[in-house]
Structure formats: C-alpha cells, structure tokens
Amino acid sequence: VAELRRIVSAAGSRHRGLAASALGELEAAEAVADLASALGDDRTYTRILAARALGDIGPGAADTVPALAALLEDDDDQVRASAASALGRIGAGAAPTVPAIAVLLDTGDAPSRQAATTALQAIGTVEARQALAETGGDASPHLARLIAQYDEGVIVFAGLARSGRDSLARSV
C-alpha cells in the first residue's frame, strides 16, 4: 500500500491511475488524501480511476466529497460519471451534492445520467428522491423506468414518457 500511495501521489506519473485503481480495489482508506490529489491530474483516465477508487472506499472517503463534486463539471463524460458514481457510493455523506448531481439528469450525457440516477438512489435523501421524481430528461431507458418511493405516507410514481416531463403523483 505504501508504494501505491507514493505512486498515486507523484504528480505526472503515468502510472498514477493504475496505482489509484489498485488502492481502490484494496479499499485502502489510508490513501484517501493521496487519491484526492489525483482527482486534479491532467490525465482523464487518472481522474476517472481516482474517483472510482474513492467510490470503492465508500463512506470512508467522505472528506473528498467537495473534490468529487467539482468533477461533476469536468469536460469528460466518463469523469463526470465516475464522480457521480463515487458520490453515490459514499452515501449519505454526499447529500450536500444532490443538487449538483441532479443537474446531470437533465444536462448530462448518457453515462453521466445513469451514474447520477444510481447515485441519487444510493444517497436516498428526500431531496434525492424528489430530484429523481421531478426529472424530465430525454426519456433515456434508465429514466423511463418506473421510480417508486415511499416517504411519509406519499407514494410517488414517476414514469417519464418520450415527450418529456409526464409524471403522476398520488397521495396515499
């Protein structure tokens, strides 16, 4: 682990992404700060693999939520998707990022939308469920699925039609 941490911390190392991936597979919580530094790498694949590694660590990587949230605006769709996925795997500690993740539901590419959907489901707050229920999107297959959530006596059924923002909500 120590050698992998050294490699992932070495800015400019072409092996930085591979080291990040290995640290993620090891769920090396002691490497969270090192992995966070790799989120700012110039290489797209390094940012992707560092975000995925932090997601593998899960709630133990909660300190990196602001850095991961910044990647939701990255130019690369796979970086955005990896950041959203990592935030979802961090769970409740990523709740402050729900509005930023929700933006990807309407404006992101397909991988980002799918990752955002999964992340919001995993975060599971009322705000996250509302974002899913209110999404218009473009009727992508993952958004067309019926979303059913139960919260304080209300069942919300949100089915997105090809035309956009058709949804049905019913109080129970």
Side-chain angles (χ1 to χ4, degrees):
V1 172
E3 182 62 17
L4 292 171
R5 288 182 65 192
R6 185 191 65 73
I7 294 168
V8 84
S9 296
S13 171
R14 63 187 175 146
H15 302 294
R16 199 174 191 191
L18 295 174
S21 182
L23 288 166
E25 288 184 32
L26 294 170
E27 297 179 15
E30 65 271 27
V32 166
D34 304 308
L35 290 165
S37 72
L39 294 175
D41 196 273
D42 291 339
R43 292 179 179 90
T44 300
Y45 73 90
T46 299
R47 295 193 308 278
I48 292 168
L49 294 174
R52 288 180 182 170
L54 290 164
D56 289 342
I57 293 169
D63 290 346
T64 66
V65 165
L68 287 165
L71 290 183
L72 295 173
E73 297 180 11
D74 195 275
D75 290 336
D76 186 86
D77 61 334
Q78 291 298 318
V79 172
R80 291 189 301 272
S82 296
S85 177
L87 289 164
R89 294 183 74 191
I90 287 170
T97 66
V98 165
I101 295 170
V103 168
L104 294 178
L105 294 173
D106 282 329
T107 62
D109 51 275
S112 297
R113 287 191 308 268
Q114 179 62 53
T117 299
T118 303
L120 292 170
Q121 290 170 342
I123 291 170
T125 63
V126 171
E127 186 179 20
R129 290 190 299 270
Q130 287 173 338
L132 287 168
E134 293 170 3
T135 296
D138 65 357
S140 296
H142 69 279
L143 291 176
R145 290 180 291 154
L146 183 63
I147 300 170
Q149 296 292 333
Y150 180 80
D151 184 48
E152 300 176 4
V154 177
I155 297 176
V156 178
F157 296 97
L160 300 176
R162 291 204 182 278
S163 63
R165 299 182 185 270
D166 295 345
S167 65
L168 170 68
R170 178 183 86 205
S171 292
V172 174

